[in-house]
Amino acid sequence: MTLNSIVANFQTFKLVDLLDILIIAFLIYQLLGFVNRTRAGQLAKGALIVMAVYLVANILNMRTVTWLLNSLLQVGLLTLVVLFTTGIVGSSVAMAKDWADTARILLFPGTGWPQQTGVMEVKQLAAMNSSFVELGEEGCVVWSRTGTRLNSIQSGYARPALAVGKNRFVLYNRSGNELRVESRTQNLYTKTMESSITLCAMADNGTLAVVTEDPGSAARLRVYSSSMEQLLSWSLTIADGTPLRLAFSPDGRRLAVAAVTVNGGQMVTNFYVVTLAQGDPMLVGSGSGAAQWLSWTGSQSILAVCDSRAVLYNASGGERAAYDFTGQTLRDISVDASGNTALLLASGQLCQAVMLGRDLGVENTTQVQASNRIVRAGDTFYLLTDNGVECLSTDGTSQWTQSLSARPQGLLADRRQLLVFCGNTVQGLTPPAAENNAQSNT
């Protein structure tokens, strides 16, 4: 190529040609970044970008970009096969279903409360994103917070149990080997395990942990991705213990395990943290008795409550703080979204409510009326008695009491709404002060 021809090429060089080159460079950069990240969430974004670039390239007659995208289409079918094989598409579809559920809840609000849910005796109750799931002998139901019935499952399980994440849950049979992974509106997967299921846990990102019986060992723990691809398997020995409690970290990348065993004739619970990317369990501590509660109160701290002691463990090992309640019976425990804890302790006919901060520091101890359940919500807690609900501030001051026609079996509380579950009915509770203010403004 001569100097004159090079000059001639530059003379015909247009702004569109420069844009053509820049787009090619951008696409190559994004492709390299995608290979490094390999995230399912990038798939939809990448498809939209390619479609937009292809349209612009056709309009502006960018020959190089158009040729490149046409070439990509020729290998598109092969790419889809690879994506389905690796599970990326499955994860994306599951994510799309979660988004569709949220859109449905927001766009089609219910008629409000009270509503009859069909569950006479509440076995388990858990909040989900803009909804809740309720389990009884009759089956399992999902309702939006505005009173719309989203899902109903008649599993026929002899001993059904739930494990709940942010947008999905697992319903499993503790007297069998089948489990169902459900979104808020529909079934996602049904899986039959090789042995009987004893325990499950669901992370907010859809990761599932399943504990089954295992011949020759105490139990086997398996962890699956949101598309039901097995991530790890751990066969626990008798010395390791049998898992009684499981809890995923907030990001779903680690799993806390409370496993009970016998040491020197005494019942002992071993607490482990399993990093899913590595798979090796790490013992972070041990405590006497059986674990009654296990949860993460932050990215690096785990709250474990046994028969007479609450302990805050570091995720890297060792105790951070502890609260001892020897001589009293743990009747109920509640941990709010910020990691603050409420203990309902019983001693004979007397009940005591203990408020603990995130570091297990004692905020207040209050003698309260005989109660069955306690619910912590920030600087407020609620007591469920045989005939009603009492609201108290964490300093022990009674705010209000509301009598009910039936014994309350559960309560969901957030900043916007109070829902109480009595038999077959869910109703909204309005604090008397707020109700009086509303009447005075009308």
Side-chain angles (χ1 to χ4, degrees):
M1 181 178 291
T2 65
L3 179 62
N4 290 334
S5 62
I6 295 175
V7 172
N9 285 335
F10 272 106
Q11 288 176 345
T12 59
F13 192 80
K14 300 178 182 179
L15 180 61
V16 172
D17 297 319
L18 176 61
L19 187 59
D20 198 2
I21 295 172
L22 292 176
I23 289 176
I24 293 297
F26 174 77
L27 289 176
I28 293 174
Y29 175 80
Q30 290 296 321
L31 179 61
L32 292 174
F34 179 79
V35 171
N36 288 330
R37 293 186 299 269
T38 317
R39 298 284 186 127
Q42 302 295 323
L43 185 63
K45 184 193 297 184
L48 292 175
I49 291 175
V50 170
M51 291 175 60
V53 171
Y54 186 76
L55 291 174
V56 173
N58 273 328
I59 294 173
L60 299 179
N61 194 27
M62 297 178 183
R63 295 184 297 274
T64 308
V65 175
T66 304
W67 169 83
L68 177 62
L69 295 180
N70 281 329
S71 300
L72 290 175
L73 289 175
Q74 295 177 16
V75 297
L77 292 177
L78 179 61
T79 303
L80 286 176
V81 171
V82 173
L83 291 177
F84 273 108
T85 303
T86 57
I88 294 178
V89 168
S91 299
S92 298
V93 170
M95 186 183 302
K97 289 180 179 180
D98 290 339
W99 290 343
D101 288 348
T102 300
R104 173 183 172 183
I105 293 171
L106 294 177
L107 294 176
F108 302 100
T111 57
W113 308 100
Q115 296 281 357
Q116 291 186 343
T117 65
V119 176
M120 294 299 298
E121 187 73 24
V122 179
K123 301 297 183 183
Q124 282 184 262
L125 174 66
M128 300 176 69
N129 186 16
S130 302
S131 59
F132 63 84
V133 58
E134 184 183 14
L135 175 66
E137 294 293 345
E138 303 84 358
C140 177
V141 293
V142 183
W143 286 73
S144 74
R145 285 300 189 102
T146 57
T148 299
R149 191 187 188 101
L150 302 175
N151 198 355
S152 178
I153 306 163
Q154 303 295 327
S155 64
Y157 293 162
R159 296 179 62 208
L162 291 174
V164 182
K166 184 178 181 181
N167 293 313
R168 62 184 64 182
F169 63 93
V170 57
L171 173 64
Y172 60 99
N173 187 7
R174 291 179 294 180
S175 291
N177 55 357
E178 184 180 277
L179 61 84
R180 299 168 55 102
V181 177
E182 303 278 336
S183 75
R184 287 165 289 178
T185 63
Q186 60 187 307
N187 176 260
L188 299 177
Y189 308 100
T190 299
K191 185 174 180 63
T192 302
M193 305 298 294
E194 296 176 357
S195 303
S196 296
I197 301 170
T198 60
L199 186 63
C200 288
M202 176 70 73
D204 286 345
N205 64 2
T207 304
L208 171 66
V210 183
V211 178
T212 61
E213 296 178 352
D214 188 34
S217 64
R220 180 171 292 275
L221 169 66
R222 295 179 178 90
V223 179
Y224 300 89
S225 69
S226 59
S227 56
M228 293 305 290
E229 175 188 1
Q230 184 169 306
L231 301 177
L232 66 86
S233 176
W234 175 24
S235 181
L236 288 88
T237 66
I238 295 176
D240 294 330
T242 302
L244 288 182
R245 307 282 174 181
L246 301 173
F248 279 101
S249 61
D251 60 6
R253 296 180 180 179
R254 289 171 294 175
L255 177 67
V257 181
V260 66
T261 185
V262 176
N263 188 356
Q266 300 294 322
M267 182 181 294
V268 175
T269 298
N270 294 324
F271 298 99
Y272 302 91
V273 170
V274 182
T275 301
L276 304 188
Q278 300 172 357
D280 294 328
M282 178 180 63
L283 181 67
V284 298
S286 298
S288 60
Q292 306 296 324
W293 179 273
L294 186 68
S295 65
W296 292 73
T297 60
S299 61
Q300 299 298 327
S301 55
I302 302 163
L303 174 64
V305 182
C306 290
D307 297 333
S308 60
R309 195 166 183 255
V311 181
L312 196 64
Y313 289 104
N314 291 310
S316 57
E319 292 187 9
R320 181 180 299 184
Y323 176 78
D324 190 283
F325 51 91
T326 302
Q328 295 176 293
T329 301
L330 179 65
R331 182 165 291 183
D332 196 22
I333 179 173
S334 175
V335 180
D336 67 13
S338 299
N340 301 306
T341 302
L343 301 177
L344 180 62
L345 306 177
S347 180
Q349 299 297 319
L350 302 177
C351 281
Q352 188 179 72
V354 180
M355 301 295 113
L356 304 175
R358 290 190 59 177
D359 59 353
L360 287 191
V362 178
E363 297 176 336
N364 189 62
T365 300
T366 305
Q367 297 294 329
V368 296
Q369 61 177 315
S371 305
N372 304 310
R373 303 292 304 275
I374 191 169
V375 177
R376 176 83 187 256
D379 58 0
T380 303
F381 69 96
Y382 303 89
L383 295 173
L384 277 63
T385 65
D386 286 339
N387 54 14
V389 176
E390 182 180 6
C391 173
L392 301 93
S393 59
T394 51
D395 64 5
T397 303
S398 179
Q399 302 296 313
W400 52 264
T401 300
Q402 187 158 334
S403 298
L404 300 170
S405 58
R407 179 178 65 86
Q409 301 176 42
L411 183 140
L412 293 178
D414 58 29
R415 289 175 293 181
R416 297 172 298 177
Q417 192 179 52
L418 280 176
L419 295 179
V420 63
F421 296 73
C422 300
N424 187 35
T425 303
V426 180
Q427 66 184 73
L429 286 184
T430 302
E435 186 175 4
N436 293 335
N437 291 336
Q439 293 175 354
S440 63
N441 292 330
T442 58

